[in-house]
Every structure is written in structure tokens, then in C-alpha cells.
Amino acid sequence: MSARKTGNPVSLSRRQILAGAGALSGLALAGQFPRSAYAAGDPLKIGLQAHRTGIGAAYGYWYERTSVAAVKVINDMGGIAGRPVELIVEDDATDAKRAGEVMEKFATQHNVDFVFGPLFGHVVGASAARAADLKMPLFIVSEGSELADGQFNRYVFQTGITNVRSQVKAISPFVIGNVGKKVTMIIPDYIFGYNHRDFFTEAAKAEGGEVKAVIAIPPTETSFTKYFSQIPPDTDAIYHVMVGPGVLTFVRELGEFFGTKGPKLFGFIDSLEAVAIASPGLEFLEGSHLWEAFPRYLSGLDTEGAKFYRDAVGLDENGANKDNAKEVSTNSHMFGCWETLFSIKQAVEASGYKGASDRKTFIETVEAITSFAEGKEHPQGEKKFIGKAHQCFGRQFISQVEGGKLKVVHTTSIEDGLYEPKADYTTQAL
Amino acid sequence: MITGPALLLALMEGAVGAAVLALTALGLSLVFGVMRVINIAHGEFVMLGAIIVWWCSAELLGAHPALGFLLALVMAPVVVGLIAMAADWLVLRRINYDPERTIVATMGLLYVIQQSVLMTYGPDARPIEPPVYFRIQLPWFGYSGYKLIVIALALLLLGITWLILSKSRIGLYMRATRLDAETAQAFGVPVRRVYASVFALGAMLAAVSGVLIAPIQQAHYLMGADPLLLSFIVVIVGGLGNLRGTLLAAALIGIGEGMIAVLFSPTLAKMIATLLVALVLIARPGGLMRESAP
């Protein structure tokens, strides 16, 4: 009896794999089918490089859902420059090697006009390098600060979301002024964490604060209590930015360790994207502050544009799937896909882009943009765009956990997060 | 930076790790000692235990974490034990428990279990509410009461296993088979059935440790790797198949690792533990506690 039970899943998986392989090769064939070059009314093809599987899967799901919604809105508006938009999604498995292959596939098999969507830093780096080889405009939606530092190339843009450096600069005065001056940082032990460490240490000093200790935790860690003895006793604020599956355990153990008398907390919502604030174990966050790029709860930002965006994507007022309240969105990141698609629309229409041969004009047109106005196209808020660095800057939100919900208590201005980016891509040849 | 409170915290963290590790490693050691099978899938049984406690407490009895936990404490060993018996009958017996081939076979078992869980339970790490939640406030820091309960439960279960092995008839059979399977068979010990039940008992011990650890960590389909690695270290340091040595090594490595992790860094702790294995293999190839029997 039990023997058969264990036997079953194996044969089932084999059948599923075969069926999946068949379907995949069918899809690949369809993609290779030659299509005539652009004619009026031919669809504009935009490739979404999505983290459908791998560690970024939760983000990937929402990036895709947001992009599908945005494309539907754009097509209902009459498309881009009169042409319908066709969204083609490829999974990069949140894997750098796969990212290069996906870029290749977009350029040679799908013949897309533009690619957008990678988020995780190592994947972004790989896609950015391929973008230059393939001369394919790539719009990252990643918060990575490398772009504005000049580490990528002229084909890579970030028009939909602010980067980490700007976010950290914008929230530092609030952290030092309202949470605590002697800060211990708890960060993941890789580049994303180091970005936070470097930018915040610098910003905190400028505000008269001090980073007492930095505790870097390997991203695969599952138990955290052992690290807490490294927190200096005179710490009055803990700055935490954790990603990965361990975050709920992290918060609960922090609560067990400190009880009610511990230092105050300031965190980045990255730790809790796709996680319900009312999850068991997160009670300890009550009263603490979190950075958000786009308020998860409707009450935090209820402009016309934000409401329109949330309805189109299918979010309830708590920032979860309106059909399944347990499915919490990654609202502080995914809006970037929406805004990116509308920035592409704006640039295509302004440049008179028709096809791959117009990419040079298209890129120069994007570089000439200086701002995006708040509205349905840019629901997160107005953006300032620094053309030579290919990076946009926007406002940030600081929310407090109140009764298991997030309440916006402070909104920064664009200027709070503005800095002089090092990059000048306009000097590079196209 | 090494202060009294930090040392106390290190000891407590180490004790929790050691208690759970002892359970897991005992299972691995038992299977090796009696069957000469190196079970690469052992960590997956830990993972299955964690998945079952999640299922019991979150899906089945949503409102009562304690009830779900108690149910899982009974159900996880039963279900996982049955799976292990099935694996023994379906796979290990067919290849005559040949040491080399069982390594490959259990590696296959590892992938089957892992992928089945991925297909049904999914890729998410899910939190599990501890059955009892209270905080113990020490003068310097607070500590989870549940973790102390884990130590007590693990010691209790180790005691029960010890009783089974030393006092019961099946325990006697197991010990006899371990010393010499052929002679045991000649004396009427049903060796095949002993093998099946040893493999099941080993898996049950792993499953129970998964149940205990799940509310501290989370349930995730890849969580079996760490316990497997640490168990191997413990079993090698303690002497392959040597039960007393296994317990001693679990205490040594569990507490040692916890102390070094708190006082210095967790990576250093893993490095030292692995180095210890190499040293033991060079200096005392039979393990820290050598027995007279092979």
C-alpha cells in the first residue's frame, strides 16, 4: 500500500515533465517562426525578463501580473504610437547564467523591440552585459545603484524605480532624527547588504548619527539568535534589511531576545515583501518603522493614479490579491514595471520609433527626458530623470506598524534622495 | 567582547542544537551500524517531519498550534517511518544493501522526496507557530521558552530510543544484527524485518527532530542539507555505528558549534567542525569512542 503511494509521484512527475517538454518545444518553434518586419499596426514586442522561479519567484509573480495589467491598459488606450503591444515573458530562474540566455532568446528568436524587468543584482549585471552585445535597450526594475555609478552601459535604463543609494539617503535623516542615533545594522552578507552598509554609514555621519556595528548574515542562515550577542549594548536603533526565507524567524528571534526593552527598529520593506504584516511572529514589529517605495495599504497613498493602478493590477486595500487575501503583493517594487512600460510608451511616441533601426534615436530620446509627471502612468509619484546616468529619482515613504498594518507617517521629497550620479553614458558610442 | 551573558547565550544555543542533532545523528548512526547503509536521504526525513508539522498545524487544525504540534509529533514518525519502510522494500532490499549501490540509491531517494515536496508543498519557506509561546527574561537578554522545551523533548525521546535498544526484544535483535547479521540469522533473528524496522526507526528519529526544529526555523523543501551534513560529521567523529560515541559527539559538536558561532562567527564554527572530522579520521580512525566489536 504505502509502497505504491511513494511510487506514484515519480511516474506522475515524469509524465508532467514530458508534457511540459512537449509544450515548451512547441512554444520555441512558434517563436522561431519568421515574421515580416514591422508594418503599421504590427505589434510592438516587449520582452519581460521575469524571475518566475528561483529565489526571486515571489517578486517574479507580481512583476508579471503588474506588467500584464499595464499592457492591457496601454492596449485599451490604443497601444503605443497606434501599435498594439505584445508582452513576451521569459523566465530567468533568478539565475545570472540563464539571464544571458534569456536576453539572447529575446533578441534572436522573439525579435522584441525592448526588454525590461530584471530585479536581483547578479541577474541584472548579466543581462546588462548582454544588452550591450545585442544592442538591445534594457529597462531594469531593480533598485541597483550600479547603473548610476556608471558600471553598466548605454543600453541599460532604470526609469521606473529609484535606486538603493537614493532610498537610503532619503530616509537617513528620519532614522537618525526619530528612531535613534547609535545604529546597529543587520544586513545580508552580499552586495545588496554592502550597498546599504556603505550608503547608510555615510549618510548617518552626515546627520550626526553613528553606526556602532554592522552584522552581516549569510543569506542561507536559518537561525539568528546567535548573532544578536554582537549587538553593542548602547545601540538605540537597529537598521535591518533582510531578504530570503529566514526573515520571519529573524524578527521573532529578535523579539524573543529583546522583549519590550530593546532598541527601536527601522527596516526596509524588502524584508517583508509578499509577507503579511499580521503573520505569526511579526508582533514584535508593532510600533517599528519601515521604508516603503509604494505604500502597501491604500490608505497610505490614495491618489487617483494609485487607485487606478491598484484596480488594474487587482489589489485590495491591504495590498493583497483581491481574489485571495493571503497573497500579499510586492508593492514597493512591482509598480516599477508599470511605470517602466509607460516610460517606454512615452519615448517610443516622442522618438517616432518604428523598429530596431531606430534604437539610436530611441535611446537619445530617453536620455533627453527630465521628468515624469504623477498620474495613472506614474502612480508612485512624480519622478526626476537624470538622462546621462539613465536613472530616475522619486519620493519615498516611511511607515509605522500599527495594529498589524502599515501606516505612512512620513513622505520624503525627491530632493531628499537626490545625489549627483557618477555615470555619464551619453559619451559612449551607440 | 566575550562576556558572561554572551557565553550563557552561546551555551543555550549550543544545547538546543546539540539536542536536535543528537536525535538526527542517532538515526543515521543506527542505520549505518546495523545495515551498513550510508543514507544520503536522511536529511530529507528531517524535512518531511517539518512539512508534516506545518501541514498539521496550519492546514488541518488552523486554530490550535499546540494540538497540531502534538498530532504531528505522532503522525510525522508514523508517516515517515512508513515511507522509509517502503523505500527499504522497494529499493534497498532489491540491491541487497550493497554499500556502494545504496549510496546512489539513497541519493536518488533524496531527489524523489525533495521534488515531490516541491511539487506539492511548493518552494516557499513557511513559518510554524510554536505549540507554546513564552519568553524567559534573563537579566541580560530574553530567550524562547519553546527552545528549552525542545531540549527536554529531545532528551526524553533519546531516553525512549535508548530503552527500546537496550531493553526490548526488537532492540536485542537490532544489536545482534549489528554485531553479526549471519550469526543472528542462524539464531532465528528475522534479519530482513530487522533491517526494515531499523531503516524506519532511523527515519522516525529524523522526522521527530524535524518536527521539533520546524517552529524554531521554518519548513522549507531544501532544509535537509544542513542536518545531513552535521549528522555525518557527528557520526564520523563519534565512530561509525557507535551509538554512545554518536551522542557524545553530538553534544560536543552541537555545543561547540553554538559557542563558536555566538562568540566568533558561524562560518568559523562550520570550518572547525569539518576540520575536527579530518583530525579524528587521522588520529582515531575508529572514532572518539572505540568499541571492541568492529
Side-chain angles (χ1 to χ4, degrees):
Chain A
M1 255 291 281
S2 53
R4 279 194 201 101
K5 267 186 204 147
T6 49
N8 261 334
V10 190
S11 61
L12 188 71
S13 83
R14 193 184 297 147
R15 220 171 288 154
Q16 284 184 339
I17 288 164
L18 277 177
L24 273 179
S25 54
L27 277 177
L29 278 178
Q32 274 163 347
F33 197 77
R35 301 248 168 90
S36 62
Y38 46 89
D42 254 13
L44 189 77
K45 291 198 219 168
I46 302 182
L48 167 60
Q49 181 191 329
H51 303 330
R52 260 186 189 158
T53 52
I55 47 167
Y59 286 98
Y61 170 78
W62 284 101
Y63 267 38
E64 188 171 338
R65 194 178 157 117
T66 308
S67 304
V68 168
V71 166
K72 187 177 180 300
V73 168
I74 289 174
N75 282 335
D76 288 349
M77 288 163 71
I80 294 182
R83 294 165 66 183
V85 175
E86 185 186 339
L87 184 73
I88 299 163
V89 189
E90 284 281 352
D91 178 22
D92 65 13
T94 329
D95 177 80
K97 185 177 164 289
R98 183 92 186 91
E101 293 162 10
V102 165
M103 286 296 292
E104 195 96 2
K105 210 168 165 187
F106 275 134
T108 56
Q109 289 184 19
H110 298 304
N111 293 313
V112 300
D113 294 282
F114 317 106
V115 178
F116 77 107
L119 160 68
F120 277 61
H122 58 299
V123 183
V124 168
S127 293
R130 291 303 287 139
D133 298 342
L134 299 162
K135 298 195 179 298
M136 171 66 74
L138 168 70
F139 292 78
I140 59 175
V141 188
S142 97
E143 312 180 315
S145 305
E146 294 84 351
L147 177 66
D149 283 347
Q151 290 176 33
F152 295 153
N153 55 69
R154 202 167 174 190
Y155 291 89
V156 186
F157 293 91
Q158 187 149 246
T159 54
I161 194 162
T162 319
N163 64 21
V164 171
R165 179 171 203 147
S166 167
Q167 290 161 4
V168 171
K169 183 169 187 293
I171 55 92
S172 298
F174 184 89
V175 176
I176 301 299
N178 302 51
V179 184
K181 283 194 171 31
K182 291 174 187 155
V183 184
T184 292
M185 299 183 73
I186 300 180
I187 57 166
D189 198 0
Y190 63 93
I191 184 74
F192 175 69
Y194 306 156
N195 273 342
H196 273 278
R197 175 194 63 196
D198 298 343
F199 302 146
F200 184 75
T201 307
E202 184 190 311
K205 206 180 280 172
E207 297 294 330
E210 183 191 0
V211 174
K212 298 293 286 184
V214 177
I215 302 172
I217 297 182
T220 50
E221 187 57 84
T222 50
S223 171
F224 303 92
T225 304
K226 51 182 174 265
Y227 294 93
F228 298 150
S229 62
Q230 297 172 27
I231 299 173
D234 59 345
T235 294
D236 50 28
I238 290 179
Y239 176 114
H240 63 98
V241 47
M242 294 292 295
V243 282
V247 60
L248 290 176
T249 316
F250 169 75
V251 172
R252 192 181 62 222
E253 292 189 348
L254 206 57
E256 281 161 357
F257 191 83
F258 282 116
T260 48
K261 288 188 219 136
K264 288 196 189 173
L265 300 182
F266 182 90
F268 272 68
I269 195 75
D270 306 63
S271 310
L272 298 159
E273 285 283 66
V275 175
I277 303 290
S279 294
L282 291 189
E283 299 84 4
F284 184 61
L285 284 181
E286 188 69 25
S288 79
H289 290 94
L290 287 159
W291 160 86
E292 291 190 283
F294 195 119
R296 178 180 292 184
Y297 292 86
L298 175 64
S299 54
L301 181 67
D302 57 356
T303 55
E304 280 308 305
K307 279 186 200 154
F308 179 82
Y309 157 81
R310 298 175 78 104
D311 285 344
V313 175
L315 291 185
D316 66 14
E317 59 184 25
N318 299 323
N321 185 344
K322 69 176 186 326
D323 300 321
N324 179 4
K326 278 187 180 168
E327 249 180 47
V328 177
S329 70
T330 58
N331 211 28
S332 276
H333 294 80
M334 68 201 206
F335 73 89
C337 290
W338 177 284
E339 300 205 1
T340 297
L341 281 165
F342 279 98
S343 68
I344 291 177
K345 180 177 191 293
Q346 181 181 334
V348 167
E349 289 172 353
S351 67
Y353 174 93
K354 293 279 186 300
S357 54
D358 301 328
R359 274 182 188 153
K360 184 172 182 291
T361 336
F362 173 79
I363 286 172
E364 285 163 356
T365 309
V366 181
E367 284 168 350
I369 294 173
T370 54
S371 65
F372 300 106
E374 180 173 4
K376 287 177 182 172
E377 290 89 350
H378 299 278
Q380 193 264 351
E382 190 194 344
K383 303 271 180 317
K384 189 175 169 70
F385 186 71
I386 309 283
K388 70 181 173 76
H390 290 194
Q391 176 64 51
C392 77
F393 292 84
R395 61 180 173 187
Q396 312 297 331
F397 299 86
I398 292 170
S399 303
Q400 191 165 21
V401 182
E402 247 187 58
K405 292 187 168 194
L406 289 165
K407 190 174 171 236
V408 172
V409 292
H410 179 71
T411 307
T412 74
S413 69
I414 296 180
E415 283 65 36
D416 291 339
L418 202 59
Y419 67 93
E420 186 56 43
K422 267 192 271 176
D424 184 0
Y425 292 109
T426 55
T427 57
Q428 293 179 5
L430 275 164
Chain B
M1 177 78 217
I2 300 175
T3 55
L7 207 64
L8 181 64
L9 178 72
L11 246 162
M12 290 167 88
E13 281 290 286
V16 177
V20 179
L21 183 58
L23 272 181
T24 323
L26 185 62
L28 191 71
S29 179
L30 204 59
V31 168
F32 182 81
V34 176
M35 304 167 72
R36 301 279 133 184
V37 165
I38 294 176
N39 182 16
I40 306 285
H42 196 65
E44 304 319 300
F45 295 138
V46 176
M47 180 266 286
L48 281 177
I51 303 288
I52 289 172
V53 72
W54 173 82
W55 190 76
C56 285
S57 57
E59 289 288 288
L60 210 58
L61 305 158
H64 305 282
L67 259 179
F69 181 82
L70 287 177
L71 181 70
L73 216 46
V74 178
M75 221 173 96
V78 172
V79 173
V80 174
L82 283 175
I83 292 176
M85 271 176 145
D88 173 72
W89 182 75
L90 264 175
V91 185
L92 300 183
R93 185 175 297 183
R94 316 274 153 175
I95 53 175
N96 264 325
Y97 304 100
D98 174 69
E100 281 97 26
R101 282 191 285 171
T102 49
I103 293 183
V104 181
T106 51
M107 208 183 282
L109 191 62
L110 173 149
Y111 287 122
V112 171
I113 296 176
Q114 225 172 59
Q115 294 304 309
S116 307
V117 170
L118 176 63
M119 278 161 57
T120 47
Y121 169 87
D124 302 331
R126 302 179 199 210
I128 290 141
E129 240 177 297
V132 281
Y133 189 81
F134 61 97
R135 216 178 134 261
I136 293 169
Q137 179 65 54
L138 303 169
W140 317 276
F141 58 84
Y143 203 68
S144 152
Y146 173 71
K147 284 190 179 172
L148 300 180
I149 291 180
V150 165
I151 301 182
L153 274 177
L155 288 178
L156 182 72
L157 287 163
L158 283 173
I160 292 174
T161 315
W162 194 261
L163 274 181
I164 291 177
L165 286 176
S166 57
K167 302 281 182 219
S168 74
R169 179 176 291 263
I170 178 79
L172 181 67
Y173 284 174
M174 285 178 188
R175 280 180 293 143
T177 312
R178 182 162 98 82
L179 290 176
D180 188 338
E182 269 176 38
T183 316
Q185 191 152 27
F187 277 86
V189 173
V191 169
R192 294 223 137 164
R193 228 177 297 160
V194 169
Y195 275 9
S197 39
V198 164
F199 199 63
L201 180 62
M204 287 160 86
L205 286 169
V208 165
S209 74
V211 171
L212 293 181
I213 202 79
I216 296 179
Q217 303 182 352
Q218 289 172 61
H220 185 231
Y221 80 106
L222 291 176
M223 66 187 286
D226 247 19
L228 178 72
L229 185 71
L230 278 174
S231 298
F232 265 116
I233 294 177
V234 164
V235 171
I236 292 170
V237 170
L240 283 168
N242 182 332
L243 300 186
R244 237 173 306 164
T246 303
L247 293 183
L248 184 77
L252 185 77
I253 290 190
I255 294 182
E257 212 218 343
M259 304 267 280
I260 298 169
V262 171
L263 301 176
F264 303 101
S265 99
T267 318
L268 185 69
K270 290 241 157 56
M271 279 158 64
I272 291 181
T274 335
L275 199 65
L276 186 65
V277 173
L279 287 179
V280 166
L281 284 177
I282 294 166
R284 305 198 59 166
L288 284 183
M289 300 252 297
R290 210 169 304 170
E291 269 181 316
S292 45

